[in-house]
Amino acid sequence: MVSCPHRISGVSRSAPVVPAAALLTLALALTLTLVSCTEGADVGSRGSAGLGDPYFPKLGNGGYDVTHYGLTLQYEPPSGIGNDDRLRGTAVVTARATRALDAFNLDLKGMDVESVAVGDAAARWSRAGQELTVTPAHGIDEGERFRTTVRYAGAPETITDPDGSREGWLPTADGVLALGEPTGSMTWFPGNHHPSDKAAYDITVTVPEPLRAVSNGELRSESAKNGRTTYAWHTAEPMASYVATLAIGTYEIRHSGGGGTAGSDGLPVYVAVDPTQAEKSRAVLGRIPEVIEWAEAGFGPYPFSSTGAIVDRPEDVAYALETQNRPVFPGAPDILLLVHELAHQWYGDSVTPKTWRDMWLNEGFATYAEWLWQEDHGGHTAQEIFDALYAGDYYEDAASNAAVWDFPPAKPPSAARISDSPVYQRGAMVLHKIREAVGDDAFLGLLRGWATDRRHGNADTADFTAYAERYAQKTAPDADLTPVWGDWLYGEGKPPEA
Ligand code: TRP
Ligand code: ZN
């Protein structure tokens, strides 16, 4: 109802300058507007300022679904002189309204907004914390596709997560690395920063020489002009914003085009490594095609159009992240970390959690991939790793062994604990219990089937248990998964010996 006066005034404002025939049309439109107003419904609604995530309720926004981000960014290194606009950006966010909208929100933390337009018309906007509220000149209809253009500039922020880790815009010795799990992507571009709204991306970045810019997807073009280089990165497959990345710095680049040395199937590989890490990284990153091939045999076809890795040295950050296409490592990885991050391309990047509570669907699976890799390469079997964790002699210290049982994988007690060992190790143990119940062949089929069924989509824990039940019904009808869910996935404390 709020929108009705707004729409009527819009009509009367333009009325005096239009001819009679158009006036008639306008009068008709006005009548229709009034009719739909009296019918109530969603007319005049505002998109919500969050999606009610159990741990990050303000993250994301309701009322629309983003289909594409077009980011055009310019980076300036810290110079000590002049203004400190490290980043200037134009974000063109294309979305479909899921209800009629008089106003909607984008997430953007920090930065100065210079202008906002919806379609070709300037829009009003206001800011409160991470919420950028946009009021377009004209209401948006349910189902309408609309384009929001935000011009912004500033020095992007670094975020400290509830668990104390740093993300967002992370300085390096020679540039910057942008990482976004779970919320940091809103420091460098405005958008719907919840994992449930995935979209295609075009990220075009201009940096001064000799710096390079590396991002997700494929490098469409690289062009130099006036001492600056512009890199255009294209991501066609849906991507959650938390796995979007931007790495700016000096890098040793190794890449193979579409057709050669990449994988057996010619998947393009693009690897960017900080020069201080290049020698240490070379051998392990040379194994990317081998890992992809192994993972494809287990999990099904690789879900994206290219792969690779980024190795950089962000200050005060020691974690790796499964950024889409090419994971980021804070130094030369070992083979298991490489396996973990590449496995996330299936479990996390392609099949993405619906909320941050479903984190074990990422980490339990990527951890189990490490177990399978070891089993397949003459190391410990998954059973041995499971047994060591269960017996409490996996880690060297008692506290770490006990921490595995702190909470059920599907129910982390707070945002600060979504990346703790119950999510990783006990999450992987859930999968091992499924394997025990259904047998090896059905289990491997299930892992692959899940990645196929939900490819490029989103899923939550209930989706997974329902899928596993259905799959087990067909392939191992005698299996009883009830205790796996009750004791291992949702149950408090260490489950009893079977
Ligand atoms: N997802 C990363 C991995 O397992 C780890 C990680 C990095 C993380 N940042 C995070 C997990 C923030 C949860 C929240 O490789
Ligand atoms: Zn992980």
Side-chain angles (χ1 to χ4, degrees), residues 161 163 165 181-182 319-322 340-341 344 359 363 418-419 424:
D161 287 337
D163 70 359
S165 58
E181 187 174 33
Y319 61 79
L321 186 63
E322 62 268 29
H340 180 107
E341 302 308 336
H344 269 311
M359 187 71 175
E363 303 306 343
I418 59 172
S419 45
Y424 284 70

Side-chain angles (χ1 to χ4, degrees), residues 84-134:
D84 63 0
D85 285 356
R86 302 270 187 280
L87 187 72
R88 297 193 67 80
T90 301
V92 180
V93 183
T94 307
R96 215 187 108 272
T98 53
R99 54 202 259 203
L101 291 172
D102 267 359
F104 60 90
N105 282 22
L106 295 166
D107 300 319
L108 179 66
K109 191 162 192 304
M111 305 296 283
D112 298 315
V113 171
E114 292 172 350
S115 69
V116 180
V118 174
D120 296 325
R124 286 190 288 129
W125 51 273
S126 64
R127 301 191 70 184
Q130 70 189 52
E131 300 298 326
L132 167 61
T133 301
V134 178

Side-chain angles (χ1 to χ4, degrees), residues 257-428:
T261 54
S264 55
D265 51 3
L267 183 70
V269 182
Y270 190 102
V271 171
V273 182
D274 182 87
T276 66
Q277 305 301 305
E279 215 168 289
K280 283 182 276 187
S281 304
R282 199 158 293 135
V284 65
L285 296 183
R287 298 182 72 181
I288 289 173
E290 175 195 347
V291 174
I292 295 282
E293 216 175 306
W294 170 84
E296 286 192 315
F299 313 143
Y302 180 74
F304 305 118
S305 313
S306 65
T307 186
I310 297 168
V311 181
D312 210 343
R313 305 292 275 170
E315 290 164 16
D316 304 322
V317 168
Y319 61 79
L321 186 63
E322 62 268 29
T323 42
Q324 193 153 307
N325 304 95
R326 51 190 58 78
V328 162
F329 301 95
D334 63 19
I335 185 71
L336 286 181
L337 187 57
L338 180 65
V339 167
H340 180 107
E341 302 308 336
L342 289 177
H344 269 311
Q345 301 300 311
W346 283 259
Y347 306 107
D349 295 23
S350 170
V351 184
T352 303
K354 276 185 187 165
T355 79
W356 287 112
R357 183 164 48 208
D358 307 306
M359 187 71 175
W360 82 278
L361 292 174
N362 288 6
E363 303 306 343
F365 282 66
T367 301
Y368 203 78
E370 294 178 58
W371 298 8
L372 286 173
W373 173 274
Q374 292 170 81
E375 180 168 315
D376 284 353
H377 293 81
H380 290 297
T381 63
Q383 185 67 51
E384 287 167 347
I385 299 169
F386 178 96
D387 290 344
L389 281 162
Y390 194 81
D393 54 19
Y394 181 78
Y395 297 103
E396 271 165 27
D397 64 299
S400 299
N401 286 307
V404 174
W405 313 110
D406 278 359
F407 58 85
K411 285 192 296 182
S414 70
R417 310 211 56 190
I418 59 172
S419 45
D420 284 4
S421 75
V423 173
Y424 284 70
Q425 273 68 40
R426 190 171 156 185

